[in-house]
Amino acid sequence: MILQRNLLNRQPVVKVQANRSFYRPGSNPGGRTSSTGGSSSGYGSSNSASSWVSSFSSPSSNSSSSSSSSYKPSSSGSSFQFANPKGPRALIVNTKGGGHAFIGYYLAKELVAKGYCVTIMNDGDKAKVSAKAPYNNYSALENAGIQVVWGNPTKPSTYPAGEFQIVYDNNGKDLESCKPLIDTYKNRVKHFVFVSSAGAYKADPIEPMHIEGDSRKSTAGHVEVENYLREQRVPYTVFQPLYIYGPLTNKDCEQWFVDRIIRDRPVPIPEPGIQLTSLTHVEDVASMLAAVPGNKYAIRQHYNVCSDRAVTFTGIAKAIGKALGKEPKIVLYNPEKIGMGKSGKAEGFPFRTVHFFASPDKARFDLDWKPKHDFLGDVQALVNDYKKQGRQNQSIDFSIDDKILAAVAKEAKTAAPASAPAKTPSYAGASASTARPSSSSGYSYDWNKPAAPASSSSYAASSPASLANRSKSTAGGSGYNPEEDRHSPMWKGGRSSSTGTSSSGWGSSSGRASSSGGGSSNGNSSSSGWGRPSSAGDRTSSSGQEILRNKIYRR
């Protein structure tokens, strides 16, 4: 028996699983099977989506599908030795740029390790694209027995020859770019996987944590593709990644923060700075995508692809600063107020300016998946990789930053009383101070002046609008504790406050965070900006917002 928190109506439902043997990693890559031959999840048995699983050839099997035996490589007529020529054939259609570009690289490695016969068809002109990551590492894939070809996903004539059991579309963002691939393989594949985006969710300021089934933007190109897959009755699975980091990335993520901190530059962050965001390692993304072939419980389902933790913007800066041995000079600002952003976006900033995180619980349940990485645990390696690439010696365009800082300084000067003495914001101290203009602060900004020693008169300590309550340390304190700036999932241990661990380890009976700082006997989480789920309920508070936690229990 399984008690699961229903993802749509938030009501607990009891599912009785009769005669079902659950898939376990490493046991059968073909996925879960049911002794009754039916599906209890409502997929239906009239279409191919529920009937193909029983005949799917597991990678561990020595048998070969009829289509793979007649396959002929399409690359210049030359022969190619696949790592698993008898395994089920998988085609990965990969994009030529952007934040998803390196998913195909890691997914191919994950699939070949599971015994699949893998081909990557990459979009774009090989001569123009292959000089940058991850494409400049494709030779490693070929050496591992993974075929790499170049084509145009909108032109079926450029597709590799032969039949495939699994097709991954990690390229298209709208129906125009995806329809040719779908139409070509919709009646020929046993599983079609579309890599969509969690950015298609509608932002919700009341319940910002996204759960599968939440409202999505009907005008988004990804949603149009998802609807077409549904209408065509394709045996599909949709994945919705959030921000991804890791080696061979084609789009900066944490590097934006390192660029500034390593050069002792101010780090302009949209206020209030405690917005939560999901950062997921690409290897965890690939492992989730590789878990669905042959798993009938994944057919016609959507999955969030994200870490089980979230981190704040200021937390990212502080964690990177700690790895670099530097105190980040954080400057909070309002993008819309200074004309540098709107609608959840800020000019030059790599993330949305609102909360952007999701629950991976559905993937944990259906796919028996769990992440192996944690951003804070990976920070030092990421910083080391940045240095190894010599990026600290590269020239960076900080013109947008300078424009932001000038606007912040002008705003502060305009708001300051005429009689107030000019002061320089302090960035030094046991915790990273956060400078922010205030109508009552009376500070002028000179970014070239050295930081003053932290003291009780420092801006961060005196201004209630600052994030000093998050650092919970003063001059001579113990320094930044990254654990205070990341959100832990419900099944992890509780968070400790600066004055000691809360008695419950989860939060107060009301499940709300304390804004006063310090520990308490009832277990309130202190000054972290994020409450812990209570024992009686599953709501937490973040800046007055109610967060609904998705819970899954097994017994």
Side-chain angles (χ1 to χ4, degrees):
M1 180 180 294
I2 296 176
L3 176 63
Q4 181 183 7
R5 178 73 59 185
N6 187 288
L7 301 178
L8 296 179
N9 59 23
R10 274 72 170 178
Q11 297 298 318
V13 295
V14 177
K15 293 183 179 181
V16 178
Q17 311 292 349
N19 299 322
R20 174 187 289 186
S21 60
F22 285 98
Y23 166 74
R24 288 292 180 268
S27 61
N28 175 18
R32 295 170 176 160
T33 57
S34 170
S35 60
T36 61
S39 169
S40 62
S41 52
Y43 303 144
S45 56
S46 61
N47 57 36
S48 60
S50 61
S51 61
W52 69 268
V53 179
S54 60
S55 61
F56 183 79
S57 299
S58 169
S60 60
S61 172
N62 292 325
S63 62
S64 172
S65 64
S66 59
S67 60
S68 63
S69 61
S70 60
Y71 170 70
K72 295 181 180 180
S74 61
S75 55
S76 306
S78 61
S79 60
F80 178 81
Q81 184 61 46
F82 283 97
N84 307 298
K86 294 185 178 182
R89 296 196 62 222
L91 172 64
I92 303 171
V93 180
N94 203 49
T95 182
K96 59 183 176 182
H100 291 183
F102 61 159
I103 292 178
Y105 177 90
Y106 285 91
L107 175 59
K109 293 175 63 177
E110 190 79 19
L111 289 173
V112 79
K114 287 175 173 275
Y116 294 94
C117 181
V118 183
T119 296
I120 286 186
M121 184 187 77
N122 214 98
D123 185 23
D125 185 339
K126 179 180 179 181
K128 296 179 180 179
V129 177
S130 58
K132 57 184 179 181
Y135 319 110
N136 55 5
N137 282 265
Y138 272 1
S139 59
L141 296 182
E142 292 176 319
N143 293 335
I146 298 169
Q147 186 188 38
V148 178
V149 297
W150 294 79
N152 185 338
T154 64
K155 296 181 178 180
S157 61
T158 67
Y159 295 175
E163 297 297 322
F164 297 90
Q165 284 75 43
I166 314 116
V167 171
Y168 288 86
D169 185 352
N170 184 46
N171 173 69
K173 295 182 179 180
D174 52 43
L175 189 57
E176 182 181 358
S177 59
C178 295
K179 190 174 183 295
L181 187 70
I182 296 173
D183 289 345
T184 297
Y185 291 107
K186 62 183 179 183
N187 296 319
R188 297 162 58 184
V189 298
K190 297 178 178 180
H191 208 145
F192 191 99
V193 180
F194 177 54
V195 182
S196 182
S197 173
Y201 280 121
K202 292 181 179 179
D204 188 342
I206 305 301
E207 291 184 345
M209 183 180 70
H210 297 300
I211 298 174
E212 294 87 346
D214 284 352
S215 297
R216 292 171 70 75
K217 304 170 186 175
S218 59
T219 57
H222 292 99
V223 175
E224 189 178 15
V225 176
E226 295 164 14
N227 291 337
Y228 186 71
L229 287 168
R230 187 180 302 108
E231 293 167 1
Q232 297 297 308
R233 301 188 66 80
V234 179
Y236 70 85
T237 298
V238 173
F239 284 101
Q240 300 156 170
L242 285 81
Y243 298 125
I244 310 171
Y245 70 92
L248 305 182
T249 181
N250 196 253
K251 183 178 181 180
D252 281 356
C253 180
E254 77 287 345
Q255 295 89 343
W256 184 91
F257 293 85
V258 184
D259 284 342
R260 289 147 181 79
I261 298 172
I262 202 170
R263 293 173 175 82
D264 296 315
R265 292 270 311 186
V267 185
I269 294 178
E271 62 182 17
I274 57 172
Q275 298 95 312
L276 288 166
T277 191
S278 289
L279 299 177
T280 309
H281 196 285
V282 64
E283 289 182 352
D284 288 334
V285 174
S287 68
M288 185 187 292
L289 268 62
V292 297
N295 187 340
K296 70 179 180 180
Y297 297 101
I299 298 295
R300 304 181 72 81
Q301 296 297 305
H302 289 60
Y303 295 99
N304 294 329
V305 189
C306 58
S307 170
D308 55 2
R309 293 177 179 269
V311 62
T312 66
F313 295 158
T314 54
I316 296 172
K318 293 175 182 179
I320 290 174
K322 183 177 180 181
L324 288 169
K326 293 175 176 287
E327 293 291 346
K329 304 172 184 179
I330 299 173
V331 179
L332 296 178
Y333 70 100
N334 186 321
E336 294 189 12
K337 193 172 183 180
I338 65 174
M340 298 291 289
K342 63 179 181 179
S343 303
K345 295 182 180 180
E347 189 174 348
F349 192 65
F351 302 131
R352 292 165 178 79
T353 61
V354 297
H355 291 300
F356 189 55
F357 65 108
S359 167
D361 287 350
K362 185 178 178 182
R364 282 178 171 271
F365 175 70
D366 285 358
L367 310 177
D368 287 311
W369 172 89
K370 64 179 180 180
K372 296 179 180 178
H373 290 268
D374 177 277
F375 177 75
L376 292 183
D378 290 337
V379 165
Q380 190 63 62
L382 295 170
V383 167
N384 293 343
D385 186 60
Y386 181 99
K387 294 178 179 179
K388 184 178 179 181
Q389 296 176 40
R391 293 189 55 163
Q392 69 274 23
N393 301 319
Q394 296 178 3
S395 177
I396 305 294
D397 181 6
F398 292 112
S399 58
I400 295 179
D401 285 28
D402 293 338
K403 187 177 179 180
I404 292 171
L405 297 174
V408 170
K410 182 178 179 180
E411 181 187 28
K413 184 177 181 180
T414 302
S419 59
K423 297 181 181 180
T424 301
S426 169
Y427 301 114
S431 63
S433 300
T434 305
R436 174 180 175 183
S438 172
S439 59
S440 61
S441 65
Y443 287 95
S444 63
Y445 286 71
D446 184 352
W447 309 113
N448 296 317
K449 288 185 179 181
S455 65
S456 60
S457 62
S458 69
Y459 182 80
S462 61
S463 172
S466 73
L467 295 180
N469 63 315
R470 287 183 62 76
S471 60
K472 300 202 292 289
S473 60
T474 58
S478 59
Y480 166 62
N481 177 7
E483 287 293 340
E484 297 174 4
D485 273 295
R486 69 174 171 184
H487 167 59
S488 175
M490 58 177 182
W491 53 83
K492 300 291 185 183
R495 177 180 294 168
S496 300
S497 70
S498 61
T499 59
T501 305
S502 64
S503 59
S504 68
W506 282 105
S508 67
S509 59
S510 63
R512 294 187 178 276
S514 167
S515 60
S516 60
S520 64
S521 59
N522 65 358
N524 285 344
S525 175
S526 65
S527 68
S528 64
W530 183 265
R532 310 298 302 173
S534 67
S535 58
D538 50 34
R539 287 184 179 270
T540 59
S541 167
S542 176
S543 302
Q545 296 170 339
E546 293 286 301
I547 314 297
L548 181 64
R549 300 294 297 151
N550 175 36
K551 289 187 177 181
I552 295 177
Y553 298 94
R554 288 190 179 188
R555 64 183 182 183

